[in-house]
Amino acid sequence: MIRQSERKSKEISQLPEAASNLVVYPELGLASTEFLQEMLGQKYIIASLPYGMQNLLQWLKKIALSLDMQTDFTELKKDVSYNQEKFDTAIFKLR
């Protein structure tokens, strides 16, 4: 059985392996990520949690760019558009 403190110690020991840190709540995580940047040279990105499909797509793009990832979002854009249309149709029917 692994105690909670042992698990946390293992997670903390893995911090230097992170390519980047994601801050979704700056008021809670910014100071920690700034410390990690100073101590370990890890970059971070501030990207609050998205609301809605279009914002989710922009959020994912922002994270990919921060990691220097060349990502093709073509299929995801199609899925988002398709689902957005279905969502809009359902909302219209409720009116």
Side-chain angles (χ1 to χ4, degrees):
M1 178 192 247
I2 298 175
R3 291 193 320 246
Q4 185 70 11
S5 60
E6 291 172 0
R7 194 174 114 220
K8 287 192 185 277
S9 294
K10 183 178 181 194
E11 290 171 357
I12 290 171
S13 71
Q14 293 173 334
L15 279 174
E17 298 173 21
S20 184
N21 292 295
L22 177 63
V23 180
V24 292
Y25 296 109
E27 63 276 13
L28 299 176
L30 187 56
S32 299
T33 54
E34 287 174 340
F35 175 79
L36 291 171
Q37 182 180 40
E38 184 179 318
M39 298 303 292
L40 303 173
Q42 292 175 338
K43 60 183 179 176
Y44 64 90
I45 180 173
I46 299 173
S48 299
L49 294 174
Y51 180 79
M53 289 181 267
Q54 293 296 330
N55 289 334
L56 174 61
L57 185 58
Q58 295 305 315
W59 187 74
L60 292 171
K61 285 180 182 180
K62 184 175 184 179
I63 294 168
L65 285 172
S66 77
L67 296 171
D68 298 322
M69 294 174 64
Q70 300 298 321
T71 307
D72 182 9
F73 286 97
T74 304
E75 288 301 314
L76 186 55
K77 284 180 189 177
K78 287 179 189 175
D79 289 344
V80 166
S81 293
Y82 173 77
N83 287 312
Q84 186 68 55
E85 287 176 25
K86 291 182 86 169
F87 181 75
D88 291 345
T89 301
I91 293 295
F92 182 73
K93 287 180 180 179
L94 289 174
R95 292 181 184 178

